[in-house]
Amino acid sequence: MNTTVFSSPFNAEFDVNSQEFSLAGVIRPRSVDEIAASISVLKEAIDDVRGVLYINVKRLVQMNNTAFQAFARVVLDACRSRSDLSFVVVTSSVVGWTERMFRHLNRIEPRVTVEVYDSKFYPGQAFVEDTSFIPILRTQTKMTWRHERTILPRHGMRPGVVMADICCGIGDFAMLVKKEFQPTRIVALDHSKASLAYARDMAASFGIADIEYTYGDASEMLLEDNQFDLVTCRHSLQIFNRPTVLLKELYRICKPGGRVYITNEKNSHCLGEPRSKSIQWTYNEVAKLFSHFDMDVELGPKSRRYLVDAGFDDILMESFMVTNLDGDPQDFADVIAAWENVYAGEMAMKRGDPPEFMERFRQGFSDHIFAALHPKGYAGWPIWAASGRKPP
Amino acid sequence: MCAASKKPAEAAFAPLLQFEMDMGTFLSDWQHCDQLSTFMARMISHNRTDPIRHSNFFSFALNELLEISFRGGSPEGRIDCIVYRRDLMERVKLSFTCPSGQQEFYREAVSRTHQEDAFSRYLGAISTDQTPNREVILLDLAINFDADVRLEERAPASITFVVDLPLERAIN
């Protein structure tokens, strides 16, 4: 049986299946008595478990010393009375003080250890956070922006909006939005410090000072509830192993009556002429490859279902095709070449694919580039844009 | 250490934000600590490199200082809080009225944050105490937030903490 104690603005919860006690929100009591119920949940959890009790503070936004010392005392007392039990405190790399404070417990009782939850916990993050990918991300945004600048107003974008761009990557979308739509405020969050550093440098060089770039985990954000008129999250649900968790967070930070806008692909529908069969085979394999790493790059058309299931209404959905005819065909070819480098050069290698597969796999990308640059050719990359309203 | 002997270089710090409040009003609701620290943190962090995380760190530290004044303050007079900035550092100057005789307690508590055994004192406290005393809170700020804590003594029935917080460096 699971136990939850809600005492706004925080909650304490014990999940017996994962032997995990979690604290979330803001815990600033005047006295220990105010959090007695939560302390009891922790004590009961300790009585229930064998081996390891995980204490999850990833979503702990604030905790005063009164609360810290009360919970710490329970854990330290348990170490002294239960020689069979150890504790793993799971903190977030985003909220640095939790790691600093809880790590001291290890100095007092070695059976209390601290694990910092960061990008290495996500199966696909290492691929998408690779800094070598940055130049191609800029080209991709340039190509999609031609379409999205006209699409976005239909999904709630307007001058003066308060918005968040979650999984902002190198921040170029936020900058384009800033220039085109003049939002009142933009928070741009990502889990790659390298991408954020690039974003800040680029914003500074363009004289843009008021985009709030912040390091954060999209599934456990520090941002408060009901803050934003528009929350955008582009090309990210599809590379996240738990898209429903991410969508729940997007919903949480969106104001009632505001909208969440998502874009995703269906990679198997990438196409080109000539050499369509080879191209189609390779992109079918791309979808399988991502699936191997718990990512769903076929998510695009499923966006409507995800939004409905997350509680949104007034769902709007449309698709657009980025093609070699949109601008310079070489841009399109460069993007495909970069995909080949990551998908074949890194991901398929990591999966351990044999040489004969690799050869055919790479051929499809070459053929896609051939189609893009062919004087009579056509190459496409389909994207689904969808948004839902958080009920007022 | 004589806390008052260290003169802070006021001229180098630029004031960012100040609030002043009747102590009686401040002490009327515990939530004032959380609300004021959250608001002040948001306001002063907006142009830091990572405003959200800076605000989170700063709010933690300021809330602890406000909780000290809540627990140790007396209802007469006023509470005055000014936040300054110099480069990567924020300075909090917090003055509040307190019962006479408490200055000596705070003087010793602040002094201990600068002593060599500060860390062992901190570990000892969280290892054995059920609730934190005001000394442990100051040690927490010094150890976990790299804060430099000092006192200014202006009037017999008031206390002024001067706390330098290098949070921008700690976060990035």
Side-chain angles (χ1 to χ4, degrees):
Chain A
M1 186 181 147
N2 296 345
T3 311
T4 306
V5 172
F6 290 99
S7 175
S8 183
F10 78 94
N11 79 62
E13 186 175 291
F14 174 54
D15 178 359
V16 69
N17 292 323
S18 54
Q19 298 210 148
E20 181 178 87
F21 172 78
S22 57
L23 288 169
V26 177
I27 312 179
R28 286 173 164 173
R30 183 173 181 179
S31 72
V32 178
D33 293 345
E34 291 172 27
I35 55 170
S38 303
I39 295 284
S40 293
V41 173
L42 176 58
K43 286 180 175 173
E44 285 163 19
I46 289 167
D47 290 341
D48 271 5
V49 301
R50 298 286 176 275
V52 178
L53 176 64
Y54 291 90
I55 298 181
N56 180 341
V57 294
K58 284 185 299 174
R59 299 196 64 173
L60 186 58
V61 177
Q62 289 291 351
M63 171 183 256
N64 66 3
N65 269 288
T66 300
F68 171 73
Q69 210 153 318
F71 285 108
R73 183 64 194 269
V74 172
V75 169
L76 295 171
D77 284 350
C79 284
R80 289 157 195 159
S81 62
R82 289 275 304 274
S83 60
D84 63 313
L85 194 60
S86 60
F87 294 85
V88 175
V89 182
V90 184
T91 69
S92 161
S93 57
V94 177
V95 187
W97 56 263
T98 55
E99 183 192 352
R100 286 185 176 208
M101 290 179 71
F102 282 97
R103 210 175 272 290
H104 298 313
L105 302 184
N106 177 257
R107 298 287 293 266
I108 300 165
E109 287 289 346
R111 277 186 287 128
V112 184
T113 53
V114 173
E115 283 182 2
V116 182
Y117 191 93
D118 61 19
S119 59
K120 69 178 182 291
F121 285 74
Y122 298 123
Q125 288 294 302
F127 299 120
V128 298
E129 291 185 1
D130 188 333
T131 51
S132 66
F133 213 54
I134 285 177
I136 216 64
L137 290 174
R138 286 195 68 175
T139 308
Q140 281 190 185
T141 304
K142 187 171 82 176
M143 289 159 59
T144 54
W145 180 250
R146 291 192 185 98
H147 300 266
E148 287 187 274
R149 64 184 300 188
T150 56
I151 288 172
L152 280 162
R154 295 197 281 275
H155 294 264
M157 180 68 80
R158 62 185 187 279
V161 79
V162 175
M163 69 165 286
D165 185 30
I166 306 304
C167 306
C168 69
I170 57 170
D172 47 355
F173 176 75
M175 278 206 294
L176 290 165
V177 164
K178 179 77 188 168
K179 282 194 262 186
E180 181 84 13
F181 296 103
Q182 293 91 40
T184 303
R185 183 186 178 206
I186 303 187
V187 172
L189 178 145
D190 202 83
H191 203 274
S192 163
K193 287 184 175 174
S195 295
L196 287 169
Y198 182 92
R200 290 187 185 108
D201 284 349
M202 200 162 69
S205 68
F206 289 178
I208 296 174
D210 47 0
I211 296 175
E212 299 174 40
Y213 288 109
T214 187
Y215 171 66
D217 178 346
S219 68
E220 317 268 355
M221 291 188 279
L222 278 179
L223 302 171
E224 291 176 9
D225 300 356
N226 307 320
Q227 268 199 69
F228 299 100
D229 301 308
L230 179 65
V231 179
T232 58
C233 183
R234 301 165 58 260
H235 301 276
S236 297
L237 266 68
Q238 62 180 33
I239 55 164
F240 195 75
N241 60 330
R242 294 172 300 159
T244 52
V245 173
L246 204 160
L247 208 47
K248 194 175 169 187
E249 275 292 271
L250 304 181
Y251 184 94
R252 182 182 67 76
I253 65 171
C254 184
K255 280 182 191 169
R259 297 191 75 85
V260 168
Y261 168 86
I262 57 176
T263 64
N264 291 284
E265 301 161 49
K266 183 174 175 69
N267 253 265
S268 64
H269 282 207
C270 283
L271 51 85
E273 285 288 351
R275 303 183 181 177
S276 62
K277 283 188 179 170
S278 163
I279 295 166
Q280 191 175 1
W281 183 87
T282 287
Y283 284 99
N284 276 324
E285 291 302 319
V286 167
K288 292 177 197 169
L289 180 61
F290 272 80
S291 177
H292 176 80
F293 292 103
D294 287 332
M295 295 180 271
D296 181 10
V297 287
E298 299 287 273
L299 195 145
K302 302 172 194 169
S303 301
R304 186 170 174 226
R305 166 167 63 83
Y306 274 110
L307 288 167
V308 169
D309 290 349
F312 293 96
D313 64 14
D314 189 26
I315 313 277
L316 302 173
M317 191 155 163
E318 54 192 299
S319 61
F320 61 94
M321 181 81 81
V322 175
T323 80
N324 59 328
L325 306 181
D326 285 345
D328 184 350
Q330 189 59 50
D331 282 348
F332 196 100
D334 290 345
V335 168
I336 308 307
W339 289 353
E340 182 186 346
N341 285 339
V342 176
Y343 304 165
E346 294 178 31
M347 295 174 71
M349 287 282 282
K350 188 166 184 187
R351 189 171 61 169
D353 290 334
E356 56 273 23
F357 172 88
M358 296 293 265
E359 189 180 349
R360 190 176 176 193
F361 191 46
R362 284 184 181 276
Q363 187 59 48
F365 294 112
S366 299
D367 290 339
H368 207 194
I369 291 169
F370 181 81
L373 298 176
H374 194 285
K376 299 178 193 172
Y378 181 79
W381 168 34
I383 294 166
W384 278 259
S387 71
R389 183 183 66 163
K390 182 173 179 175
Chain B
M1 176 194 132
C2 177
S5 66
K6 255 191 169 178
K7 280 278 183 189
E10 296 294 350
F13 279 85
L16 295 178
L17 196 59
Q18 176 175 14
F19 83 81
E20 205 180 344
M21 199 172 179
D22 282 330
M23 269 304 271
T25 307
F26 175 65
L27 295 176
S28 67
D29 188 350
W30 173 252
Q31 292 302 319
H32 287 150
C33 301
D34 174 60
Q35 290 161 353
L36 286 164
S37 61
T38 302
F39 177 79
M40 297 278 280
R42 277 189 198 152
M43 291 300 109
I44 65 103
S45 299
H46 78 278
N47 55 355
R48 280 304 197 188
T49 305
D50 190 330
I52 308 292
R53 293 177 65 233
H54 189 276
S55 173
N56 178 268
F57 264 70
F58 187 84
S59 173
F60 186 109
L62 182 58
N63 178 68
E64 292 297 336
L65 290 168
L66 292 176
E67 287 189 11
I68 287 176
S69 58
F70 194 100
R71 294 182 196 281
S74 47
E76 304 81 25
R78 300 180 76 75
I79 180 170
D80 181 14
C81 178
I82 312 173
V83 182
Y84 302 84
R85 177 177 295 171
R86 185 180 67 191
D87 301 327
L88 303 180
M89 183 95 75
E90 264 78 30
R91 168 172 292 175
V92 175
K93 187 181 277 195
L94 179 68
S95 305
F96 58 93
T97 52
C98 64
S100 57
Q102 287 216 4
Q103 283 92 343
E104 183 57 30
F105 166 80
Y106 286 119
R107 204 175 295 127
E108 286 179 14
V110 167
S111 168
R112 288 185 187 120
T113 66
H114 296 274
Q115 290 172 0
E116 282 185 6
D117 65 348
F119 187 57
S120 59
R121 288 182 73 88
Y122 175 71
L123 288 186
I126 60 175
S127 171
T128 55
D129 296 348
Q130 176 71 35
T131 54
N133 59 41
R134 283 168 279 170
E135 180 192 330
V136 174
I137 291 169
L138 295 176
L139 287 169
D140 166 53
L141 294 177
I143 290 162
N144 295 316
F145 292 80
D146 305 325
D148 180 33
V149 186
R150 297 188 306 279
L151 278 186
E152 277 182 12
E153 293 177 45
R154 289 174 170 173
S158 79
I159 203 85
T160 298
F161 283 104
V162 180
V163 181
D164 288 347
L165 294 158
L167 301 181
E168 182 77 342
R169 194 178 62 213
I171 291 164
N172 298 301

